Amino acid sequence: MKKHPVDPITVEVVRNAIVAYADEMADVLSKSAYNMMIYEVRDYCCGLLDTQGRMIAQNRGGLPIFLADLGVAVKDGIKRYGLDGFAAGDVVVMNHGTVCGQHLNNVVVYAPCFSEGELVGFAATRAHWVDIGGSRRGFSYNATSDIYAEGLQLRSLKIMRAGKPDETLMQILRDNIREADAALGDLRAQTAACQVGAKRFADLIARYSRDCVEDCVATVWEQADRAVRRVVAAIPDGHYEAESLLDNDGFNLDRPLRVKVAVDVAGEDMTIDLSEMNPQVESSVNSGRSGGIACARVAFKALTSPDLDVNEGCFRALDVVLPDGTMLSARPPAALGQWSIVMPTVVDTILKALAPAVPDRIPAAHKGDLGGCTFHGVSEDGTPFMLMNIFGGGWGGRPHGDGASASMSVCQGDVRNTPVELQEIKYPFIIERHALRPDSAGAGKYRGGFGVELSYRCLCRCRGNIGFDRTLTPPWGLAGGHDGVAGVAVIERADGRVERVFKATGLAFEPGDRITFMTAGGGGYGDPRLRDPDLVEADLENGLITEEAARRDYGVRKADRSAALRGAAAE
């Protein structure tokens, strides 16, 4: 609630300043971090929060699946220490599964912000550490009985007190994490980012006063809320449902996982009900409540305010129904190692539910998995390594255009794959191919985007984890469009054997083995026979679709093309 009226010019200055500070935090983090998941892939988010743990601003490009959890981490610290229990120079580390609801590698670091001796907010980061101890390594589907096997849990612990490091806690981290140098380097990078954010926010308050800044923030939230409610109000009131399937949990391979959602629209308010999601599972394909809330928020924001900066006001019109015990709200001590695997499909399914209500705004389904791999082993010089990468794929065709190709999932936002050159420099692999995957896009008046082919050749013995999904319900088409092609990994062994793998943990590889990851294409939108023939021709000329696909999906034959070209030449 605003205390005083504020002029619009000051509101705009503050609006842009707080986002700029979050972006500067992200720059500090990415330029200082030790592991490529942060400085190249950008698996992180940065933000400023108020003394109630509410989001003031988040960096542009921060992971969408982190829309629901910086606040819960900070609120847990406030509950533990009280607002008067923080001092300038404190730094808190947090990844506790029960509170944060995601795998333990995603570590929150935050610092209090003081202005003239008064606590005025917090600067926070969340970033993916390559290792956090435990028995699992990388993107694995091991059936761990509980979260205790997955690594260290750190619940609102002060890693620095008044600027002085807690050496006991630092030693615990050093002794229990495989890549300790990288992890502690990332911790320092996150600390530096928080210190920069805290200083910038304190400077802003010193310039304008706390009351003025808080009134400006409240105005920004109110404006976002009004904009969102206008969009929701334009959706016909009603009850909408959709469902889909994930293949399995990576352990019980014959048990598909149910993804069922309901959406209720009433005036300016929307409720997303996830009550009928699959119950929590034995393996690590679970998340805590923040996972389910993030799914709902990603879909809601994509529909209602895709161009607005992230803040608390974007979600006031949304209510999420999520009882405990589902795979998006697992009860402790459930394993959470693959917490985010389910999320892209949940987002797709929420949007699918709303397609009948707003058909001109909902695209066909996208690749629908996080598409990552892990290889780990020991190089010839005796150095342990862990290669982690994330793959793009096809997005769904849209009501007015083709889907994007080679793009990350909706839950990953602006993360990037790891550059080929850096992977070859740092790890014992040669990457022999990185290209679009022909015929992977779902046909349609507006086709889906194309998946990717990425081939690794091993130069030493190692083990790897593979995770593809959505083969039971591939990326679906809408309005008569065809489904996209599901992802798969093709393993060509040095001895000539060939294997097709969708999910596996700890696969053994020998020198000379080739692993080709073929990611999914997006679903098509609209009847393929209505597609502009010139666009079909362009895809053929660029090698994106084959003659067979052009004939089968679009009714375009080589003879027809040749005759058309001769006719055009004659004219």
Side-chain angles (χ1 to χ4, degrees), residues 488-493 495-501 507-509 513-514 516:
V488 64
V490 178
I491 302 171
E492 301 169 88
R493 300 290 185 177
D495 62 9
R497 291 176 295 135
V498 177
E499 307 165 37
R500 291 172 63 85
V501 176
L507 280 177
F509 297 109
D513 288 351
R514 179 184 293 110
T516 300

Side-chain angles (χ1 to χ4, degrees), residues 424-463:
E424 293 185 335
I425 288 170
K426 293 179 70 71
Y427 306 114
F429 291 87
I430 293 176
I431 298 177
E432 298 181 328
R433 179 175 173 80
H434 193 190
L436 294 179
R437 180 187 180 188
D439 285 348
S440 58
K445 179 180 180 180
Y446 300 109
R447 62 155 172 77
F450 293 94
V452 168
E453 291 183 13
L454 180 60
S455 293
Y456 288 86
R457 181 155 58 87
C458 300
L459 301 181
C460 75
R461 285 186 173 183
C462 64
R463 290 189 176 273

Side-chain angles (χ1 to χ4, degrees), residues 58-399:
Q58 186 169 308
N59 70 295
R60 295 184 174 107
L63 261 70
I65 51 175
F66 292 162
L67 283 178
D69 49 35
L70 282 180
V72 296
V74 171
K75 288 176 184 176
D76 190 75
I78 294 172
K79 183 178 179 180
R80 175 169 185 168
Y81 298 107
L83 290 177
D84 59 354
F86 293 96
D90 284 355
V91 175
V92 181
V93 63
M94 170 67 158
N95 73 341
H96 199 270
T98 301
V99 178
C100 296
Q102 50 189 267
H103 66 194
L104 303 180
N105 299 70
N106 286 346
V107 178
V108 175
V109 175
Y110 64 91
C113 172
F114 285 86
S115 178
E116 297 182 351
E118 182 182 23
L119 179 67
V120 294
F122 297 88
T125 66
R126 181 185 294 281
H128 182 106
W129 291 11
V130 171
D131 192 71
I132 194 67
S135 61
R136 63 181 292 273
R137 301 200 73 180
F139 305 116
S140 71
Y141 287 87
N142 284 338
T144 52
S145 59
D146 52 44
I147 199 169
Y148 303 115
E150 296 188 323
L152 289 170
Q153 292 195 80
L154 311 166
R155 183 164 185 174
S156 300
L157 302 179
K158 289 190 178 182
I159 195 78
M160 295 182 69
R161 292 177 178 271
K164 184 178 179 180
D166 185 323
E167 294 299 339
T168 300
L169 183 52
M170 295 289 282
Q171 192 63 46
I172 291 173
L173 296 177
R174 196 173 290 116
D175 290 342
N176 287 277
I177 295 177
R178 294 177 183 88
E179 283 78 19
D181 288 343
L184 295 179
D186 294 338
L187 172 62
R188 291 192 293 271
Q190 289 180 260
T191 299
C194 291
Q195 290 170 337
V196 167
K199 182 179 186 307
R200 295 289 183 266
F201 191 55
D203 290 345
L204 184 71
I205 286 176
R207 179 178 180 183
Y208 288 104
S209 83
R210 180 177 182 177
D211 284 348
C212 178
V213 170
E214 290 184 346
D215 288 343
C216 288
V217 169
T219 300
V220 171
W221 289 352
E222 290 171 5
Q223 291 172 347
D225 180 48
R226 288 198 299 271
V228 165
R229 289 182 183 278
R230 283 195 295 270
V231 176
V232 175
I235 301 172
D237 285 2
H239 178 80
Y240 307 96
E241 294 184 356
E243 58 184 303
S244 59
L245 292 173
L246 289 162
D247 294 351
N248 52 66
D249 67 1
F251 179 62
N252 299 294
L253 302 183
D254 60 345
R255 299 182 194 171
L257 307 180
R258 182 181 69 248
V259 176
K260 187 171 182 180
V261 305
V263 181
D264 289 289
V265 179
E268 298 180 341
D269 296 293
M270 180 182 292
T271 299
I272 295 178
D273 190 339
L274 304 175
S275 301
E276 295 190 61
M277 290 293 298
N278 202 88
Q280 66 187 78
V281 296
E282 291 181 69
S283 81
S284 57
V285 185
N286 297 296
S287 75
R289 285 188 58 81
S290 73
I293 293 171
C295 290
R297 284 188 169 192
V298 170
F300 182 77
K301 193 170 190 308
L303 181 66
T304 62
S305 58
D307 298 324
L308 292 182
D309 291 316
V310 176
N311 62 60
E312 205 73 24
C314 295
F315 307 108
R316 287 176 171 173
L318 173 66
D319 183 40
V320 182
V321 178
L322 182 59
D324 290 342
T326 78
M327 63 182 176
L328 291 178
S329 55
R331 295 185 179 94
L336 306 176
Q338 289 285 58
W339 76 289
S340 56
I341 294 298
V342 178
M343 296 183 177
T345 299
V346 177
V347 174
D348 264 351
T349 308
I350 293 170
L351 296 178
K352 181 182 179 182
L354 287 165
V358 281
D360 60 330
R361 302 195 62 189
I362 303 297
H366 76 320
K367 73 187 189 89
D369 63 27
L370 295 184
C373 71
T374 306
F375 296 105
H376 56 88
V378 179
S379 301
E380 289 184 356
D381 64 1
T383 304
F385 70 86
M386 181 186 290
L387 184 160
M388 302 180 76
N389 196 11
I390 297 175
F391 316 137
W395 278 48
R398 298 163 291 164

